[in-house]
Amino acid sequence: SYELTQPPSVSVSPGQTASITCSGDRLGDKYVYWYQQRPGQSPALVICQDNRRPSGIPERFSGSNSGNTATLTISGTQDMDEADYYCQAWDSNTVVFGGGTKLTVL
Amino acid sequence: EVQLLESGGGLESPGGSLRLSCAAARFTLSSYSMSWVRQAPGKGLEWVSGISDGGSTAYYADSVKGRFTISRDSSKNTVYLQMNSLRAEDTAVYYCARILSGYLDKTPFYYMDVWGKGTTVTVSS
């Protein structure tokens, strides 16, 4: 079965740029989605189709996907961005999630 | 604002059954594919099942195949997850999610744009 790998944790200082990676075999051939889950809340879509921001998502969120790696980038990170982030792809009629990355803003 | 509201969670013994419901507000659920995603305590997201907009096609994670059944009732604007032969490892918050799917530049897309608040299922004796 297809697998997506994320780093368990990433730390960033306020105002700096955070990058969260998601790796999978030939991931660049698929669309990648990113979800943000703040503590105690449901997941929320922040990036779709590799690099598109849904309505209401701040411009500081961006995405890329090439080769075997997709990346979620948060520019000018704010305290409110502290959350768990999950990548997702669709493979063989199955939704695949990465293990999640805890973003700490300190 | 479109919403999804899950219900039906609770405490059940191993081997027992539960049926989860997901009601849609301010959109017509029958126009969309729908999915269930779960999250065990302190763990990540795990996709459980999905159903096409017409209800003719259903997909399941290997971990629940043969035990769980997804269905939908357009007249009630509701999607269901029938869970049988429950195990301790099924303990989780279960989220209902609306699916956007299709093809873009000949590449399939399938993702969740609206999520409910979740319902908690606990399987324990």
Side-chain angles (χ1 to χ4, degrees), chain A residues 25-106:
Chain A
D25 184 48
R26 301 186 63 171
L27 186 57
D29 293 342
K30 309 177 189 299
Y31 284 120
V32 172
Y33 310 90
W34 291 92
Y35 302 89
Q36 175 193 67
Q37 187 178 33
R38 295 190 174 111
Q41 296 188 15
S42 305
L45 180 70
V46 294
I47 291 290
C48 58
Q49 270 98 0
D50 295 340
N51 54 23
R52 302 185 184 191
R53 281 179 291 105
S55 175
I57 300 302
E59 289 185 8
R60 64 179 181 274
F61 287 86
S62 62
S64 63
N65 182 21
S66 179
N68 295 323
T69 304
T71 302
L72 172 69
T73 302
I74 309 173
S75 305
T77 307
Q78 300 183 8
D79 290 347
M80 65 186 302
D81 299 329
E82 186 162 287
D84 294 325
Y85 290 85
Y86 296 89
C87 60
Q88 178 246 309
W90 172 246
D91 179 82
S92 301
N93 296 328
T94 300
V95 170
V96 182
F97 286 105
T101 298
K102 181 175 181 61
L103 178 67
T104 301
V105 182
L106 38 70

Side-chain angles (χ1 to χ4, degrees), chain B residues 76-89:
Chain B
K76 296 182 178 179
N77 217 29
T78 299
V79 65
Y80 303 98
L81 186 68
Q82 177 67 44
M83 305 187 296
N84 298 331
S85 303
L86 284 165
R87 306 167 179 168
E89 54 264 36

Side-chain angles (χ1 to χ4, degrees), chain B:
Chain B
E1 180 187 0
V2 299
Q3 288 184 334
L4 293 167
L5 182 61
E6 304 93 335
S7 60
L11 174 63
E12 183 57 63
S13 301
S17 298
L18 280 173
R19 188 177 81 156
L20 306 184
S21 299
C22 171
R26 288 178 282 283
F27 75 96
T28 303
L29 189 143
S30 61
S31 298
Y32 295 87
S33 296
M34 300 293 295
S35 265
W36 288 93
V37 176
R38 69 184 180 184
Q39 187 170 35
K43 302 297 184 181
L45 301 176
E46 180 189 13
W47 176 76
V48 173
S49 181
I51 188 167
S52 61
D53 51 359
S56 61
T57 305
Y59 306 113
Y60 298 94
D62 288 343
S63 58
V64 306
K65 202 171 293 182
R67 300 188 299 123
F68 290 10
T69 302
I70 191 171
S71 62
R72 60 196 306 158
D73 185 335
S74 298
S75 67
K76 296 182 178 179
N77 217 29
T78 299
V79 65
Y80 303 98
L81 186 68
Q82 177 67 44
M83 305 187 296
N84 298 331
S85 303
L86 284 165
R87 306 167 179 168
E89 54 264 36
D90 296 320
T91 295
V93 175
Y94 284 73
Y95 296 102
C96 174
R98 188 174 78 172
I99 293 292
L100 295 183
S101 64
Y103 283 84
L104 183 64
D105 297 333
K106 300 182 181 179
T107 301
F109 63 89
Y110 191 100
Y111 66 100
M112 289 137 275
D113 73 327
V114 178
W115 295 69
K117 294 186 182 303
T119 186
T120 300
V121 171
T122 303
V123 183
S124 174
S125 54

